[in-house]
């Protein structure tokens, strides 16, 4: 096996340089302060997001710019895959399943809306991502599929086939996609865990810590959704939770689910595990429970990413940190542009970003 | 040019009513480096700073906003000189904000229109995707589509033109029937499901009667795709019209926005000057640094603006320093030296009153570059490249410094190329000094004083000694001007240090000239090296005595025991000796890199000549060998040019500057209308 220096010197130096090109806080601040949507694009000039202004100024369509943001994120993963060697290729490919699974979910959601719920989707299909992916599937054929079998057939040669084959008929019967979406999320973590095992020994613990944090975040978010939107009882939630050795146990999560204020209890629970979290939630306003929790969880990921960046420069940590911060930057840009489009106040935007 | 620009501190008291006119006048003059009232140790605590005008923040905000609009402009909009608007009233912020909001809403209107058109285009694209997906299947398969609806029926033949026109603006595909029957025309309409009700309602106005579906044949599908493409083209043309409307918006309002920008900029800067004033109940106090040569102009300006109701006093730098104020540094050089001034300021700002090293840097930088990159042909290429860069930068209104520096380096390389008789690695002309290529390639040289690689190394060492010696002399001048006599005499970079350096150099040459077998007599060594080395030990105790005398002892020295103090003196002395002997030796030998780079330049060219000879041993014309030589020259110019440039800079920064340059000054930054 190649040494850490050989594996990481090029890619980590490249990604660290790219991190320097990320939008400065000052630019994001200027975008937030801009009076109108058109003015909020200006601080994005001379950044990787410059293209968004070009798309918006030639079409006037913000959704087109948003679609480009998704393409940017997925392409970043695909590019890194092309620049690394095994065992990193498998691990980054597994990481890339994250946005790709979101793409799969979105595609199935559209089909579900049109064929199961009978809603019009033609105003949304045009914005679907149709660029390169890791596992290719024909999105047009899926959206036009007449039944579940046709949808399943389109995923035949992908990693998602088994899960979709198992869950899709049932979710169609139930009328909710939650089970399929959870199954896809579980698949993502399973693939990630599998890829993690092949990493150099010193990297395994770094990657496992990242997976555990991600699983914790995902589970907490699921608990809030299960409680708020589905109102399930404590005994029914287990199948929707992701189990991972280093993450918060399902038993603790069930106890958490029973508490009255899930976000507050979640923060206490996570606070025991992640040092420094207390300083984050003390700034938050727990009255807007869900938004605060989401923001805190996002900040937690960023905090861990920054720790990774300050750590060993020849480890998987830099790659993981890069994708965490890239994802966060994309979320921030998307949030600001949408907030400007809907005319949200500066304070309101700051509370979200 | 040799020293930094002399400064004076302005103290002026004016009446509160004249604050606006005086600040406008000072802005026009553009020479006041304002000093905040809090920096004044004597009166700083007794006076209030001029209250920050809340309007100033609004003006700044509006200026940023209009800058944003100007950046959005598809064409370059010239901004009028803001100095024209100094003192002219600015329209109310509310009015400007209203104007900006209107302008922004006009742009948003265009974007909204674009969005509508884009949606139509996307719908057409979706229809095309679906048609292509179902191409072979006909209308029956369309019936199963989750997106498309296909309706067939007739409309009145007389209304056909109107139907075509009405549907042309909608994202639908019409496949007309072959002929009209009973004054009706059969048509098949393909549309997105969500547009169905809208389209049918429109068709009903023209006598729409739905009929049984007919199969769509391949020709009809092709026609529908052609119709779709036509519609798409029309919509794209409309999008272009939107872009033109956007351009027109800026053509119509661009100059107006630029004028507002200039007015806001003038008001903002005038406000910035005002905010630096201190105030009492009825007066305002202006404090700031002014170049000595501008004193009369500033005094006259303030007197005129305040109708002579003012009190003006000028403080010398020494008096100002007593109040804890540090004068700013302005270095002024002819424009031709601009690249070297940039090199100096990139390192640091010289202390006020110190020597401005720009001219020395220009000489040493170019000499070193020439010694490392001695080829007239390569120099010519650099000159042309630098000139093109310079012209391009000038055209783009960006900094021309780098282009000018490359031109100078090119000229230096041409001169040294002529001295070494090298043009693109060929000895086309007899060398004016010595044949660099022949010496490096080991060919016998029997004329001149430079005949071997060692002679070349010797030249660079002597050159290094000149540079370091110059650095020491400049340091002595700086110290003498500051009246820092103890450091001037006893410091390692002072006279004693210079003495050791000169003596060390003499000893080294003596040793070399005696075939590395004899050193000077002990009595000479005692006088030349041991005496000054002992003198170095006096620096710390003398400084301590001087500090004690002036009551300016460092806090850590006050409670120091005598034994500890002597130990510190001793340690300082030991460190100074190490620094003098090892430091100066290393500094001098460091200049051997100049020869090293020069030798590498020649060696690389020789290597490419040899490769070219290998592929063409007959020495006739060969395209391959020509390409090798061209590529070789390009590589040498690029790599060696960069290396020589960087190494020259490094020698200036670390060997030359470290002897005398203290980059702890503060740059003079007056509030001026010319500032961006």
């Amino acid at each position: 096996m190649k040494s850490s220096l050989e594996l990481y010197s090029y890619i980590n130096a490249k990604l660290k340089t790219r991190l320097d090109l990320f939008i400065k806080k000052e630019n994001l601040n200027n975008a937030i302060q801009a009076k109108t949507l058109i003015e909020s694009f200006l601080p994005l000039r001379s950044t990787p997001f410059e293209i968004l202004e070009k798309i918006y100024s030639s079409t006037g369509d913000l959704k087109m710019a948003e679609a480009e943001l998704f393409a940017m994120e997925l392409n970043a993963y695909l590019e890194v895959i092309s620049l690394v060697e095994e065992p990193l290729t498998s691990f980054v490919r597994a990481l890339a399943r994250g946005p790709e699974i979101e793409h799969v979910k979105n595609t199935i959601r559209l089909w579900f809306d049109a064929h199961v719920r009978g809603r019009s989707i033609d105003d949304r299909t045009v914005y679907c991502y149709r660029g390169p992916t890791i596992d290719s599937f024909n999105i047009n054929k899926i959206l036009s599929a007449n039944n579940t079998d046709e949808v399943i057939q389109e995923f035949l040669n992908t990693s998602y086939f088994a899960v979709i084959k198992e869950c899709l008929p049932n979710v169609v019967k139930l009328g909710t996609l939650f089970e399929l979406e959870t199954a896809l999320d579980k698949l993502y973590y399973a693939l990630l865990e599998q890829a993690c095992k092949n990493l150099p020994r010193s990297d395994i613990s770094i990657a496992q810590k990242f997976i555990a944090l991600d699983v914790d975040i995902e589970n907490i978010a699921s608990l809030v959704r299960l409680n708020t939107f589905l109102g399930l009882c404590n005994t029914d939630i287990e199948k929707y939770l992701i189990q991972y050795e280093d993450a918060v146990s399902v038993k603790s999560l069930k106890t958490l689910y029973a508490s009255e204020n899930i976000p507050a209890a979640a923060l206490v629970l996570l606070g025991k595990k992640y040092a420094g979290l207390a300083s984050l939630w003390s700034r938050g306003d727990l009255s807007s429970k869900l938004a605060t929790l989401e923001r805190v969880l996002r900040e937690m990921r960023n905090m861990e990413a920054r720790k990774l960046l300050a750590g060993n420069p020849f480890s998987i940590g830099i790659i993981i940190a890069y994708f965490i911060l890239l994802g966060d930057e994309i979320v921030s840009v998307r949030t600001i542009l949408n907030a400007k489009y809907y005319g949200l106040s500066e304070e309101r935007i700051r509370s979200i970003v | 040019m040799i020293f930094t620009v002399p400064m004076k501190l302005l103290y002026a008291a004016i009446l509160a009513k004249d604050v606006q006119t005086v600040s406008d006048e000072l802005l026009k003059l553009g020479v006041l480096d304002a000093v905040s009232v809090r920096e004044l140790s004597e009166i700083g605590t007794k006076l209030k700073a001029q209250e920050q005008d809340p309007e100033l923040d609004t003006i700044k905000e509006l200026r940023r906003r209009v800058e944003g609009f100007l950046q959005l402009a598809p064409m370059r909009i010239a901004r009028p000189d803001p100095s024209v608007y100094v003192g002219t009233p600015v329209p109310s912020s509310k009015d400007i904000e209203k104007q900006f909001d209107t302008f922004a809403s006009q742009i948003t209107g265009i974007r909204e229109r674009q969005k509508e058109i884009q949606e139509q285009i996307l719908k057409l694209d979706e229809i095309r995707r679906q048609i292509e997906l179902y191409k072979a299947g006909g209308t029956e398969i369309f019936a199963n589509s989750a997106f498309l609806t296909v309706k067939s029926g007739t409309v009145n033949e007389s209304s056909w033109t109107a139907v075509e026109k009405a549907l042309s603006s909608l994202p639908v595909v019409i496949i007309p029937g072959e002929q009209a029957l009973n004054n009706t025309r059969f048509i098949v309409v393909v549309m997105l499901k969500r547009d169905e009700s809208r389209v049918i309602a429109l068709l009903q106005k023209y006598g729409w009667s739905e009929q049984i579906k007919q199969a769509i044949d391949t020709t009809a599908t092709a026609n529908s795709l052609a119709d779709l493409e036509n519609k798409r083209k029309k919509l794209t043309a409309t999008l272009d019209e939107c872009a033109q409307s956007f351009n027109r918006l800026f053509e119509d309002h661009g100059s107006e926005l630029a004028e507002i920008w200039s007015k806001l900029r003038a008001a903002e800067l005038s406000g910035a000057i005002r905010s630096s004033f201190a105030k009492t109940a009825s007066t305002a106090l202006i404090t700031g640094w002014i170049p000595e040569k501008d004193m009369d102009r500033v005094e006259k300006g303030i007197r005129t603006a305040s109708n002579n109701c003012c009190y003006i006093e000028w403080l010398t730098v020494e008096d100002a320093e007593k109040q804890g104020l540090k004068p700013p540094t302005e270095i002024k050089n002819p424009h031709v030296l601009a690249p070297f001034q940039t090199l100096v300021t990139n390192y640091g700002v010289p202390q006020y009153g110190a020597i401005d090293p720009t001219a020395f840097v220009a000489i040493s930088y170019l000499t070193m570059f020439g010694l490392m990159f001695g080829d007239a042909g390569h120099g010519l290429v650099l000159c042309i490249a630098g000139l093109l860069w310079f012209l391009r930068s000038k055209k783009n209104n960006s900094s021309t410094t780098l282009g000018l520096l490359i031109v100078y380096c090119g000229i230096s390389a041409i001169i040294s190329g002529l001295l070494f008789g090298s043009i693109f690695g060929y000895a086309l002309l007899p060398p004016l000094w010595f044949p660099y290529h022949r010496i490096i390639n080991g060919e016998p040289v029997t004329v001149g004083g430079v005949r071997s690689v060692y002679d070349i190394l010797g030249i660079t060492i002597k050159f290094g000694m000149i540079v370091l010696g110059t650095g020491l002399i400049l340091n002595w001048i700086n110290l003498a001007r500051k009246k820092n006599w103890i450091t001037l005499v006893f410091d390692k970079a002072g006279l004693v240090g210079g003495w050791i350096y000169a003596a060390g150099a003499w000893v080294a040459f003596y040793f070399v000239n005696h075939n590395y077998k004899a050193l000077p007599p002990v009595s000479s060594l005692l006088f030349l090296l041991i005496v000054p080395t002992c003198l170095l030990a006096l620096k710390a105790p003398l400084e301590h005595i001087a500090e004690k005398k002036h009551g300016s002892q460092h806090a850590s020295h006050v409670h120091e025991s005598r034994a500890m103090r002597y130990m510190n003196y001793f340690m300082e002395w030991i460190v100074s000796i190490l620094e003098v002997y090892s430091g100066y030796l290393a500094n001098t030998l460091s200049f051997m890199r100049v020869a090293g780079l020069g030798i590498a330049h020649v060696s690389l060219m020789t290597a490419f000549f040899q490769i070219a000879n290998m592929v063409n041993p007959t020495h006739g014309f060969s395209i391959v060998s020509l390409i090798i030589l061209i590529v070789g020259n390009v590589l040498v110019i690029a790599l060696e040019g960069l290396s020589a440039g960087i190494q020259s800079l490094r020698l200036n920064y670390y060997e030359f500057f470290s002897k005398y340059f203290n980059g702890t000054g503060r740059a003079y930054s007056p509030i001026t209308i010319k500032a961006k």
Side-chain angles (χ1 to χ4, degrees):
Chain A
M1 189 186 261
K2 287 192 167 181
S3 70
S4 296
L5 194 69
E6 287 170 301
L7 273 177
Y8 293 111
S9 52
Y10 172 69
I11 189 66
N12 285 8
K14 194 177 177 74
L15 296 183
K16 277 207 160 190
T17 313
R18 290 220 179 144
L19 283 165
D20 285 340
L21 300 175
F22 273 24
I23 303 182
K24 306 273 175 296
K25 272 195 172 176
E26 189 194 346
N27 286 37
L28 277 184
N29 198 34
N30 288 342
I32 293 171
Q33 282 178 335
K35 300 273 179 198
T36 58
L37 175 64
I38 44 167
E39 290 164 83
S40 68
F41 280 105
L42 287 170
L44 304 183
R45 284 187 179 179
S46 305
T47 75
F49 298 99
E50 196 171 40
I51 186 146
L52 302 182
E53 191 195 1
K54 282 182 189 151
I55 292 171
Y56 181 70
S57 60
S58 60
T59 62
D61 192 351
L62 187 60
K63 282 184 188 164
M64 293 282 281
E66 275 188 75
E68 179 62 27
L69 277 175
F70 179 79
M72 278 169 85
E73 187 175 11
L74 195 53
N75 287 336
Y77 281 96
L78 296 176
E79 196 197 348
V80 174
I81 290 171
S82 70
L83 294 172
V84 293
E85 294 172 39
E86 283 298 353
L88 299 189
T89 318
S90 300
F91 185 76
V92 181
R93 194 179 286 134
L95 279 178
R97 299 281 179 192
E100 187 168 284
I101 282 176
E102 285 310 309
H103 176 47
V104 170
K105 282 186 198 170
N106 188 40
T107 307
I108 295 177
R109 217 174 281 143
L110 283 172
W111 175 84
F112 192 83
D113 273 359
H115 294 268
V116 180
R117 292 180 176 148
R119 292 177 189 163
S120 167
I121 56 162
D122 47 18
D123 57 337
R124 286 184 280 159
T125 56
V126 290
Y127 301 108
C128 282
Y129 176 72
R130 288 180 168 85
T133 46
I134 299 168
D135 285 347
S136 56
F137 49 89
N138 190 328
I139 186 167
N140 294 333
K141 284 192 178 172
I142 293 169
L143 294 175
S144 309
N146 292 309
N147 50 51
T148 51
D149 289 342
E150 282 181 31
V151 176
I152 294 164
Q153 199 56 31
E154 280 307 316
F155 285 104
L156 184 62
N157 295 318
T158 69
S159 311
Y160 317 112
F161 177 72
V163 169
I164 293 170
K165 190 181 174 192
E166 193 190 327
C167 300
L168 191 62
N170 198 34
V171 294
V172 169
K173 268 187 219 160
L174 291 171
T176 167
L177 281 168
F178 204 65
E179 191 184 316
L180 174 63
E181 290 183 349
T182 310
L184 283 169
D185 288 338
K186 283 182 177 174
L187 174 68
Y188 166 63
Y189 290 108
L191 291 171
L192 207 53
E193 196 182 351
Q194 204 180 332
C196 179
K197 284 175 187 160
N198 299 324
L199 285 173
R201 194 177 293 172
S202 57
D203 284 336
I204 293 177
S205 60
I206 298 173
Q208 281 175 337
K209 201 177 169 199
F210 157 72
I211 299 172
L213 169 67
D214 229 34
V215 167
D216 285 340
I217 291 174
E218 194 64 42
N219 279 338
I220 302 276
S222 292
L223 287 186
V224 176
R225 269 186 289 167
L226 289 167
N227 180 269
T228 316
F229 304 115
L230 298 182
L232 293 181
C233 65
N234 208 340
T235 47
D236 297 336
I237 61 162
E238 196 168 331
K239 63 178 174 180
Y240 296 109
L241 298 173
I242 301 155
Q243 296 194 34
Y244 187 72
E245 203 181 339
D246 297 333
V248 173
S249 69
V250 171
K251 194 183 159 194
S252 305
L253 290 168
K254 283 170 100 174
T255 318
L256 174 70
Y257 192 75
S259 67
E260 276 183 22
N261 188 345
I262 292 178
L267 293 170
V268 174
L269 182 70
L270 290 175
K272 284 180 191 163
K273 209 177 153 198
Y274 301 101
L277 188 66
S279 63
L280 290 179
W281 85 70
S282 62
R283 281 187 274 147
D285 166 21
L286 284 174
S287 59
S288 53
K289 293 186 291 187
L290 203 57
T292 308
L293 181 69
E294 274 176 15
R295 209 187 63 215
V296 170
L297 295 179
R298 228 177 99 192
E299 267 195 60
M300 251 176 75
R301 277 168 64 99
N302 291 350
M303 216 163 72
E304 290 300 316
R306 279 189 283 271
K307 273 191 209 163
L308 288 175
L309 277 181
N312 181 2
F314 303 108
S315 73
I316 195 72
I318 305 296
I319 296 176
I320 293 172
Y322 171 76
F323 286 121
I324 291 177
L325 295 174
L326 176 76
D328 183 65
E329 189 176 59
I330 286 174
V331 169
S332 299
V333 171
R334 186 188 293 132
T335 310
I336 292 170
L337 294 180
N338 270 299
K340 285 287 153 194
Y341 181 76
Y342 291 108
L344 262 62
S345 71
E346 206 180 306
E347 292 73 32
R348 178 86 182 89
I349 301 172
R350 280 187 203 286
S351 71
I352 315 167
V353 176
Chain B
M1 186 177 142
I2 296 294
F3 296 104
T4 58
V5 174
M7 294 279 166
K8 285 276 171 149
L9 187 72
L10 165 75
Y11 265 128
I14 55 169
L15 293 174
K17 69 176 177 63
D18 296 326
V19 162
Q20 176 79 45
T21 49
V22 172
S23 64
D24 285 343
E25 183 59 31
L26 286 171
L27 179 60
K28 278 182 200 163
L29 293 166
V31 289
L32 178 79
D33 184 346
V35 172
S36 163
V37 68
R38 292 181 209 290
E39 291 178 45
L40 305 174
S41 60
E42 270 186 9
I43 52 170
T45 49
K46 295 174 193 163
L47 286 168
K48 276 191 209 166
Q50 180 78 22
E51 276 165 23
Q52 175 83 27
D53 186 358
E55 182 72 5
L56 194 60
D57 286 335
T58 317
I59 286 175
K60 205 182 275 181
E61 190 53 43
L62 288 171
R63 194 259 305 157
R64 281 201 196 123
R65 198 171 175 201
V66 72
E67 265 174 10
F69 286 135
L70 292 171
Q71 278 177 43
L72 276 175
M75 70 290 282
R76 194 179 143 71
I77 297 170
R79 300 175 196 185
D81 181 4
S83 62
V84 178
Y85 298 99
V86 176
T88 59
V90 183
S92 86
S93 325
K94 276 188 182 169
D95 288 346
I96 296 178
E97 201 155 355
K98 207 172 163 188
Q99 198 176 344
F100 288 173
D101 287 342
T102 312
F103 188 72
S105 71
Q106 280 175 298
I107 298 176
T108 309
I110 293 172
R111 295 286 180 250
E112 286 297 324
R113 173 89 184 109
Q114 277 176 308
K115 189 187 166 198
E116 281 167 22
I117 298 161
Q118 182 66 22
E119 273 175 4
Q120 308 270 326
I121 290 174
L122 291 174
K123 280 181 186 174
L124 290 178
D125 289 345
E126 193 56 50
I127 293 175
R128 170 195 280 278
R129 256 198 295 272
Q130 296 298 323
I131 288 178
E132 279 173 350
L133 207 61
Y134 294 113
K135 224 171 192 175
T139 50
E140 289 310 315
I141 293 185
F142 274 130
N144 295 324
S145 166
F147 301 88
L148 298 180
T149 298
V150 179
K151 293 280 177 191
S152 52
T154 55
V155 288
N156 296 332
E157 176 64 26
S158 55
S159 318
W160 172 236
T161 321
V163 171
E164 262 192 319
K165 200 180 167 189
L167 291 182
S168 68
S169 61
L170 290 172
V172 294
V173 175
I174 317 158
I175 306 165
E178 298 252 322
Q179 55 188 352
L181 294 167
N182 306 327
N183 290 329
T184 60
R185 180 178 281 261
F186 183 82
I187 57 169
V188 177
V189 186
V190 185
M191 66 205 117
L192 289 172
K193 277 197 165 149
R194 69 181 145 138
D195 291 327
E196 185 180 339
S197 54
R198 195 157 55 122
V199 174
I200 297 299
L202 196 141
L203 285 170
Q204 276 166 353
K205 284 185 191 168
Y206 302 103
W208 170 254
S209 161
E210 195 167 335
Q211 292 189 3
I212 302 158
K213 288 170 192 162
Q214 290 185 358
I216 301 173
D217 58 23
T218 322
T219 325
T221 311
N223 288 342
S224 66
L225 286 173
D227 178 49
L228 204 136
E229 191 51 39
N230 283 337
K231 278 193 173 170
R232 202 181 191 288
K233 274 185 187 161
K234 276 182 197 166
L235 287 169
T236 312
T238 323
L239 264 187
D240 291 342
E241 279 171 28
C242 287
Q244 281 165 17
S245 315
F246 185 76
N247 291 359
R248 270 198 302 278
L249 195 64
F250 278 94
E251 278 164 12
D252 295 344
H253 300 281
S255 53
E256 197 182 340
L257 290 173
E259 191 182 323
I260 292 175
W261 177 85
S262 298
K263 284 181 181 171
L264 291 170
R265 183 70 183 145
E268 184 187 347
L269 290 173
S270 178
I273 290 185
R274 267 196 311 283
S275 62
S276 73
F277 295 176
K279 69 163 196 176
T280 62
S282 56
T283 62
L285 181 68
I286 307 164
T287 323
W289 292 99
I290 307 275
E292 219 172 79
K293 61 177 172 46
D294 295 310
M295 281 166 62
D296 292 342
R297 234 161 37 99
V298 170
E299 187 159 342
K300 196 178 162 195
I302 295 173
R303 287 194 188 286
T304 314
S306 62
N307 287 325
N308 223 7
C309 294
C310 61
Y311 167 77
I312 296 175
E313 192 183 328
W314 294 98
L315 260 70
T316 60
V317 169
E318 290 74 23
D319 290 338
E321 278 176 335
K322 279 176 199 161
Q323 293 205 33
L325 292 178
K326 194 179 164 189
T329 306
E330 187 185 24
I331 49 177
K332 245 190 173 156
N333 286 289
H335 185 66
V336 286
L337 292 180
F340 306 104
Q341 186 169 315
T342 307
L343 294 183
V344 171
T345 48
N346 272 348
Y347 182 86
V349 179
Q351 270 191 332
Y352 177 81
I355 288 179
D356 169 10
T358 307
F360 300 100
V361 169
I363 295 166
S364 65
Y365 186 92
L366 292 178
T367 311
M368 285 183 228
F369 189 88
L371 287 171
M372 287 188 261
F373 198 82
D375 189 299
H378 293 171
L380 187 68
V381 173
L382 274 192
C383 253
I384 293 167
L387 199 65
L388 291 174
W389 192 309
F390 175 83
L391 294 172
R392 189 169 156 266
S393 309
K394 206 161 190 182
K395 193 180 161 194
N396 297 340
N397 233 355
S398 55
S399 170
T400 55
T401 309
L402 188 59
L404 206 57
L405 183 65
I406 297 172
V407 171
Y408 290 157
C409 288
I411 293 169
S412 166
I414 291 172
I415 295 168
S416 54
L418 294 175
L419 291 172
F420 305 144
S422 173
I423 299 171
F424 291 113
Y426 289 100
L428 296 178
L429 294 169
L432 296 174
W433 189 7
F434 63 88
Y436 213 132
H437 278 256
R438 285 182 60 196
I439 293 172
I440 302 305
N441 292 331
E443 292 171 35
V445 177
T446 50
V447 287
V450 185
R451 298 180 184 188
S452 70
V453 173
Y454 296 107
D455 293 334
I456 296 174
L457 288 170
I459 291 171
T460 53
I461 287 177
K462 283 171 195 156
F463 173 74
M465 288 164 65
I466 294 170
V467 172
L468 294 177
T470 311
L472 286 173
I473 294 168
L474 296 180
N475 189 44
W476 300 340
I477 297 170
N478 281 342
L479 291 168
R481 281 168 63 85
K482 282 202 276 182
K483 298 184 175 68
N484 198 344
W485 308 116
I486 296 173
T487 311
L488 170 62
V489 177
F490 296 103
D491 189 61
K492 59 182 183 293
L495 292 169
V496 169
W499 178 355
I500 296 174
Y501 184 52
W506 180 77
V507 171
F509 280 109
Y510 184 96
F511 185 61
V512 172
N513 291 336
H514 287 78
N515 293 324
Y516 307 96
K517 284 176 185 164
L519 283 170
V522 177
S523 58
S524 305
L525 285 178
L526 193 69
F527 173 72
L528 290 172
L529 293 171
I530 307 300
V531 171
T533 304
C534 293
L535 285 175
L536 279 176
L538 296 176
K539 192 195 166 205
L542 287 174
E543 272 179 346
H544 179 77
I545 293 165
E547 275 177 15
K548 215 171 172 181
K549 197 177 160 190
H550 294 109
S552 59
Q553 254 184 304
H554 194 273
S556 61
H557 293 166
V558 176
H559 304 293
E560 211 172 43
S561 71
R562 185 171 289 187
M564 181 60 80
R565 196 183 312 143
Y566 289 145
M567 181 56 104
N568 282 342
Y569 294 160
F570 180 71
M571 288 311 294
E572 272 187 48
W573 181 51
I574 296 294
V575 170
S576 294
I577 292 171
L578 287 173
E579 280 186 22
V580 167
Y581 284 94
S582 65
Y584 281 136
L585 182 68
N587 289 154
T588 310
L589 294 182
S590 187
F591 281 85
M592 282 168 69
R593 77 185 66 224
V594 174
L597 265 285
I599 292 166
H601 188 138
V602 174
S603 304
L604 272 173
M605 281 313 300
T606 307
F608 283 110
F609 279 128
Q610 284 178 358
I611 297 169
N613 285 341
M614 276 188 236
V615 295
N616 182 28
T618 56
H619 299 291
F621 177 77
S622 157
I623 289 187
V624 180
S625 62
L626 187 69
I627 290 171
I628 289 170
L629 287 177
I630 291 172
V631 171
N633 273 284
V634 170
L635 272 174
V636 169
I637 292 169
L639 291 176
E640 285 294 306
L642 199 63
S643 301
I646 291 168
Q647 292 302 332
S648 304
L649 194 63
R650 183 230 175 272
L651 286 168
N652 269 292
Y653 278 179
Y654 297 107
E655 317 302 347
F656 187 39
F657 280 7
S658 61
K659 295 287 159 291
Y660 70 100
F661 187 58
N662 184 343
T664 55
R666 177 176 75 81
Y668 168 66
S669 56
I671 301 174
T672 163
I673 206 82
K674 288 172 196 156
K676 279 185 182 176

